Amino acid sequence: MSHGRGGPEVAAAVREIAVEARGETVPVTLFEPAQSTSDILFLHGYARHPLDYRALLELFVQEGHRVVAPFIFANGSLARTPTTFWACAALARRVVEALVHEGRLAPGSAAFGHSTGGAVTLTLGGSGLDPSALVAVNPVQPSSAPPPPFMARSAWMNTKMALGLAGDGRAARRVLVESGPRFYGNWFRSVARNYRLIGGLRAYDHARLARWASRRRAFHGPATVLYGHGDEFYPSCQGLEAGLSAVFEDFELEELPRENSHEWLMFRLDLAHERIGRALRRG
């Protein structure tokens, strides 16, 4: 049982299902309340797992939402782990549409994602999900670094969390301890493919994202990017507003200058829940 702040206990169940898409069996984690009022789609970051975000996602469960979270990026158990941004986007779209087709994800659900999952979320506007709103938290950008600098920045990100330099020191260290084994397990399960994916994240642009965002049907709903300024991978968000405001009719960039980590949403839980929830409600 988990507790809603200032309210009664709310049952939070976590279970795993699987969906077939593009010849792959993709695991999906469901975070479910006792009685669901609506669905939210969540896409995780590179080499992360949906369970790494459990503390945050359960805050949405406490509000009555069911969170549907496929495990896609840097998943070495897949037969063909995606090694480019667009391969990630294509597999995610197929997974999401399969979930909708099988009745496991309600059409019109809002969607949000982090890092790789954040940028991929922005490609789902014209998908069979027909989302009510799209939210990306510190999404990967076309300016992604090549693999060696990317890995160095990842090491610095984890060092900041360990040393208490990333914000809430105790909470950040707890995230590092609890999620670190999964993160590195995902990485080492398929080192060569995951190394290629780091380079493949660079090969996208906002013009192509625009075509994906309205693929098969136009997307007229709101799209929001939440950007913490202490991002170790993307120290600037200048290109985001110019690029994405040309993609989406209703686009907002919310900058969070005091957030000092690419992973801030994993340990700044109340802030992340409030800002993500507000952006999702724009739909």
Side-chain angles (χ1 to χ4, degrees):
M1 302 289 283
S2 59
H3 297 267
R5 288 161 303 200
E9 287 191 338
V10 179
V14 178
R15 64 188 178 99
E16 300 285 337
I17 62 171
V19 65
E20 300 292 326
R22 293 176 69 92
E24 300 282 4
T25 300
V26 178
V28 180
T29 305
L30 303 178
F31 301 84
E32 301 176 304
Q35 293 185 325
S36 175
T37 59
S38 63
D39 289 350
I40 295 174
L41 172 70
F42 172 69
L43 298 182
H44 63 88
Y46 168 83
R48 290 292 182 190
H49 186 281
L51 288 173
D52 295 341
Y53 302 84
R54 179 171 181 168
L56 172 62
L57 299 181
E58 286 194 335
L59 295 181
F60 292 98
V61 172
Q62 290 172 18
E63 296 176 328
H65 303 291
R66 185 175 71 135
V67 181
V68 180
F71 175 35
I72 299 176
F73 316 117
N75 179 356
S77 67
L78 299 177
R80 297 183 303 279
T81 302
T83 55
T84 69
F85 176 81
W86 297 111
C88 289
L91 180 57
R93 179 176 290 247
R94 292 290 183 88
V95 168
V96 168
E97 291 180 340
L99 287 166
V100 172
H101 177 74
E102 295 177 10
R104 298 176 182 270
L105 177 62
S109 298
F112 81 99
H114 170 231
S115 190
T116 302
V120 170
T121 295
L122 297 176
T123 71
L124 294 175
S127 71
L129 176 62
D130 192 21
S132 59
L134 301 173
V135 181
V137 182
N138 282 66
V140 296
Q141 299 182 37
S143 59
S144 299
F150 185 100
M151 295 169 70
R153 294 174 188 180
S154 178
W156 172 234
M157 176 187 73
N158 288 327
T159 300
K160 284 172 59 179
M161 293 171 70
L163 296 177
L165 303 176
D168 186 330
R170 180 177 298 178
R173 282 190 289 270
R174 184 176 64 247
V175 167
L176 192 62
V177 169
E178 293 177 353
S179 67
R182 275 191 296 265
F183 179 89
Y184 290 106
N186 293 340
W187 165 257
F188 285 110
R189 192 173 291 119
S190 183
V191 173
R193 286 181 175 271
N194 291 334
Y195 187 87
R196 287 175 59 198
L197 175 56
I198 292 174
L201 293 178
R202 306 176 68 204
Y204 86 100
D205 59 76
H206 291 137
R208 189 173 179 186
L209 192 149
R211 294 193 294 272
W212 272 68
S214 294
R215 195 175 180 181
R216 285 185 291 185
R217 61 168 63 87
F219 176 70
H220 301 291
T224 307
V225 167
L226 302 177
Y227 174 81
H229 275 216
D231 195 307
E232 294 82 4
F233 301 101
Y234 313 104
S236 172
C237 63
Q238 290 182 351
L240 282 174
E241 187 160 26
L244 294 177
S245 61
V247 173
F248 298 103
E249 297 174 3
D250 183 1
F251 175 73
E252 287 188 5
L253 170 64
E254 182 176 355
E255 300 183 48
L256 302 164
R258 298 184 62 184
E259 301 317 306
N260 194 34
S261 173
H262 182 73
E263 312 282 54
W264 66 272
L265 75 165
M266 300 176 70
F267 50 85
R268 294 275 283 148
L269 299 178
D270 287 340
L271 177 66
H273 174 238
E274 189 270 326
R275 298 301 173 90
I276 293 168
R278 185 170 66 187
L280 292 174
R281 289 191 295 271
R282 291 182 61 217

